[in-house]
Amino acid sequence: MSLSDKVALVTGAAQGMGRAIAIRLASEGASVVATDINGRLVEQTTIDIRELGHDAIAVEADIGDVEDIDRVVVEALNAFGRIDILVNNAGVTRHADIMDLTVEDWDRIHRVNARGAFFCLQRAAREMIDSGRGGRIINIASIAGKGYSGTSNAAYAASKGAVLAMTQIAAHQLGGYDINVNAICPGRTLTEMSRATAVQRSQDLGIPLDELEEQRNAIIPIGRANEPEDIAEMAMFLAGPGSRNITGQAFNVDGGLVMH
């Protein structure tokens, strides 16, 4: 298995894309540190990984809290001795028109999506540098960060734009340590979070949820939304040996919604 000697830290791993990514990396042999603010669900992710015959630990943590980030890394090092792969997946949002966003919305979204992602990147990179082994950092951004108008809200789009910018700067500054830094930009993906925003949008528009889903699928060139496993496959590629010379890139996984 291509990741049999690697340790992967996955944030937001309780459900959706993070859970799918954690399981996919484990399936290739990685030992997984799964962290999420929902301790019960993230523990279930690790139970499922261990039932497949792979090593995993769960750490309940709030990625918006820098002290929690440090604690997660310390627990990862105590369990496995190093971190080779970071998947910065934890994120929050809500459906809101630009004129309805509040200061509290902005701060909550950026606290996790931008600040949390940066300090996870920095903390994991510090361990990768000290180990001398290099590593892979995979930031889960969004096509919203590239200006996709169907985003849940402008604050979310701005937070994901920040992730894209930090991906490029980090790729430049960490490349000399053999640390690859890339981003994945999912389009519409069938997760619990996206369903919650879809329910809110269907209520705001006064149309049934299934009708809204049909409308959304109709504008995707390939005709369907992502499953979380579609994102996990791209994360697996970026974590694996086939991407060793790829860094500073942002890959859309969106069925063709955004083609740049």
Side-chain angles (χ1 to χ4, degrees), residues 118-254:
F118 173 77
F119 285 105
C120 279
L121 179 155
Q122 184 191 65
R123 187 65 178 85
R126 184 172 291 121
E127 297 304 324
M128 293 173 182
I129 291 168
D130 288 348
S131 75
R133 294 169 53 94
R136 305 292 175 86
I137 296 174
I138 302 162
N139 295 321
I140 305 301
S142 170
I143 59 172
K146 295 185 174 184
Y148 174 59
S149 62
T151 182
S152 55
N153 66 71
Y156 176 79
S159 73
K160 293 303 185 177
V163 171
L164 294 178
M166 75 175 72
T167 296
Q168 292 183 327
I169 300 301
H172 277 287
Q173 296 188 5
L174 298 176
Y177 300 102
D178 197 24
I179 298 173
N180 300 55
V181 187
N182 291 291
I184 301 173
C185 297
R188 185 166 160 263
T189 306
L190 301 176
T191 65
E192 293 79 1
M193 187 169 75
S194 70
R195 178 173 175 79
T197 59
V199 168
Q200 183 61 56
R201 184 163 180 77
S202 73
Q203 293 171 353
D204 291 346
L205 294 174
I207 61 174
L209 182 60
D210 58 352
E211 183 178 333
L212 176 65
E213 297 290 350
E214 289 178 6
Q215 291 177 6
R216 287 180 159 187
N217 285 341
I219 64 172
I220 301 173
I222 213 162
R224 61 177 178 270
N226 295 323
E227 297 287 346
E229 290 73 19
D230 294 315
I231 311 306
E233 288 299 328
M234 178 58 80
M236 178 58 229
F237 169 69
L238 292 174
S243 65
R244 70 185 186 93
N245 235 35
I246 298 173
T247 197
Q249 306 304 309
F251 296 93
N252 298 346
V253 182
D254 64 353

Side-chain angles (χ1 to χ4, degrees), residues 3 23 34 47 55 77 83 91 94 98 107 114 159 163 171 178 197 201 204 213 217 221 260:
L3 301 181
I23 291 172
I47 289 170
D55 290 334
L77 297 175
I83 298 171
R94 79 175 183 93
I98 194 166
D107 290 347
S159 73
V163 171
D178 197 24
T197 59
R201 184 163 180 77
D204 291 346
E213 297 290 350
N217 285 341
H260 66 80

Side-chain angles (χ1 to χ4, degrees), residues 16-37:
M17 292 185 291
R19 172 183 163 83
I21 290 166
I23 291 172
R24 182 68 182 95
L25 298 183
S27 76
E28 285 295 324
S31 298
V32 173
V33 180
T35 185
D36 198 280
I37 200 167

